[in-house]
């Protein structure tokens, strides 16, 4: 499986080829070109939006059964092809094959979940305050959605944005992330194979100017974005300027509190998973480990041992436990922050060295930094790599204050055997998602996903919440 894919745009149900000046490389072995990629711009976005607009009436007025069937078939195909798709994903993104296959299955499940939701769109029936008047509320499709997706979940996030958009009768123009377009394209191709009518889902491959053209297009009615805060701010500003709907999922600096009464082995496993799986490249990763004094030294020593033992290597090697970073930039960001932490007085307990590997790739040594303070940069800025820091605290109240003391608020976790503290944490943690005795990362697909503060903006994604963003309500009054 080392062939190079010649990637195309998808516009109006057709693959549209173009010159391919770009490349997506295998981060595990950068000699390998996974895909050659077109560099789309305004012309392709205009064509894609026109196709999506033309397809809207037919798709939104089709029987929900048709929409449900397409999503269900696509879900089945994705799951049947989990091995091949998972392999492509791991080659292109760098997460381990087990993680790549797991994510692929999740994408399949998302498609199947929204196949069901397509049939469950419902409104309300109310009596008016006026005599003989009745009121109904309906949920209706909105129009064309622009979806700007990230590289760290290159099939699951395109699926969890596209599936609800399509289920509820909207049409889509998608821009996949630069490093992982081939995985997103595989999903788009499968949806067409499953019977999606032409123009309903379009994809334009390219760099930032594709995203910008989507954000600025007057016929794009809604925008869903997952990515960095800087880019997200631009998406929001562009959307507000022309009053498009907008939903943003951005960074995290997620705390994991470990209290003295926690089971040590469990706490270590939870921190290892939350901080280092998927190479720490999850907006839900636990990057701040806030540890109470009584368990602190044992926890740091035991976690360091597990981190040092992680086998870093080629994502496709079955022995590998942690793959490389997705790109040179991401790798350098991790190493830069390790230096920042050292400069601030952090103690690198394990990791922190450049890795000499057999293959040329963007490998990062998983790194644990102890003795850090809450106000250091390492504890306030998102790294998006396999780097975690520990902060020592005296009690639960101090831990909670530090957990809540950053500008992000996506996911927050606690490891404890105290019901009192667990319940209090669920109520008082300033985050969109809380985890008790679980890693901050790793979420279900049938419940709302999103954060508070600077982590998210707009309506929640996923599960039963998705209908809010991808439909609009009509209130109908009638008298007999
Ligand atoms: C997860 O933790 O299972 O980009 C999902 C991200 C998030 C998804 C995390 N939007 O990392």
């Amino acid at each position: 499986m080392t062939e190079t894919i010649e990637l195309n745009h998808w516009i109006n149900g057709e693959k549209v080829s173009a010159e391919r000046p770009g490349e997506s490389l295998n981060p595990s072995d950068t000699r390998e070109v996974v895909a050659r990629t077109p560099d789309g711009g305004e012309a392709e976005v205009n064509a894609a939006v026109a196709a999506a607009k033309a397809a809207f009436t037919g798709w939104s007025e089709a029987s929900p059964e048709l929409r449900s069937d397409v999503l269900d078939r696509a879900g089945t195909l994705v799951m049947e092809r989990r091995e091949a798709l998972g392999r492509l994903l791991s080659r292109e993104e760098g997460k381990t094959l087990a993680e790549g296959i797991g994510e692929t299955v999740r994408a399949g499940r998302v498609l199947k979940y929204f196949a069901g939701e397509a049939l469950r769109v419902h409104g309300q029936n109310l009596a008016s305050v006026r005599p003989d008047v009745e009121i109904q509320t309906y949920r209706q499709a909105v129009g064309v959605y622009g979806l700007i997706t990230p590289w760290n979940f290159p099939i699951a996030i395109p699926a969890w944005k596209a599936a609800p958009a399509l289920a509820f009768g909207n049409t889509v123009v998608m821009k996949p992330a630069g490093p992982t377009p081939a995985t997103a394209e595989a999903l788009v191709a499968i949806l067409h194979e499953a019977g999606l009518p032409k123009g309903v889902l379009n994809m334009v491959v390219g760099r930032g100017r594709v995203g910008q053209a989507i954000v600025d297009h007057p016929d794009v009615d809604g925008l869903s974005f997952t990515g960095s805060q800087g880019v997200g701010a631009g998406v929001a500003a562009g959307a507000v300027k022309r009053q498009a709907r907008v939903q943003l999922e951005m960074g995290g600096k997620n705390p994991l509190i470990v209290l003295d009464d926690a089971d040590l082995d469990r706490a270590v496993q939870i921190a290892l998973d939350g901080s280092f799986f998927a190479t720490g490249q999850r907006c839900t990763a636990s990057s701040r480990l806030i540890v109470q004094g009584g368990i602190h030294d044992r926890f740091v020593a035991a976690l360091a041992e597990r981190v040092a033992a992680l086998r870093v290597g080629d994502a496709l090697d079955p022995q590998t436990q942690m793959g490389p970073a997705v790109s040179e930039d991401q790798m350098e960001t991790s190493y830069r922050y390790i230096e920042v932490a050292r400069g601030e007085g952090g103690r690198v307990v394990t990791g922190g060295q450049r890795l000499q590997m057999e293959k040329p790739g963007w490998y990062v040594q998983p790194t644990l930094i102890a003795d850090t303070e809450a106000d250091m940069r390492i504890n306030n800025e998102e790294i998006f790599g396999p780097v975690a820091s520990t902060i020592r605290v005296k009690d639960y109240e101090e831990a909670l204050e530090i957990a809540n003391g950053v500008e992000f608020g996506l996911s927050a976790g606690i490891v404890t055997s105290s019901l009192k503290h667990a319940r209090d944490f669920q109520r008082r943690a300033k985050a969109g998602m809380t985890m008790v005795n679980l890693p901050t990362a790793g979420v279900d697909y049938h419940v709302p996903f999103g954060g508070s503060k600077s982590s998210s903006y707009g309506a929640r994604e996923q599960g039963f919440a998705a209908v809010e963003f991808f439909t609009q309500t009509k209130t109908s009054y009638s008298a007999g």
Side-chain angles (χ1 to χ4, degrees), residues 106 150-153 156-157 160-161 226-227 249-250 281-285 382 384 410-411 433 435 440-444 449 461-462:
R106 177 161 160 181
W151 48 260
N152 67 330
F153 284 89
I157 292 183
W160 92 39
K161 290 186 191 298
T226 299
E249 290 298 342
M250 298 169 289
Q281 297 180 137
R282 295 187 280 190
C283 57
T284 45
E382 186 175 44
F384 224 68
L410 188 57
S411 179
M433 297 174 289
M435 306 286 184
T440 51
V443 300
D444 284 11
F449 177 95
E461 294 194 278
Q462 297 227 75

Side-chain angles (χ1 to χ4, degrees), residues 108-171:
R109 295 275 177 211
V110 166
L111 291 163
K112 285 189 171 281
Y113 173 82
F114 283 106
E117 288 296 275
L119 299 170
R120 279 191 284 267
V121 181
H122 58 271
Q124 293 170 317
N125 197 334
L126 297 93
S128 167
V129 294
R130 288 168 279 171
D132 299 326
V133 175
E134 277 191 17
I135 305 171
Q136 269 104 36
T137 68
Y138 299 87
R139 285 193 180 276
Q140 295 186 315
V142 175
V144 178
Y145 276 85
L147 309 180
I148 301 175
T149 61
W151 48 260
N152 67 330
F153 284 89
I155 193 163
I157 292 183
W160 92 39
K161 290 186 191 298
L166 300 173
F168 304 132
N170 305 286
T171 57

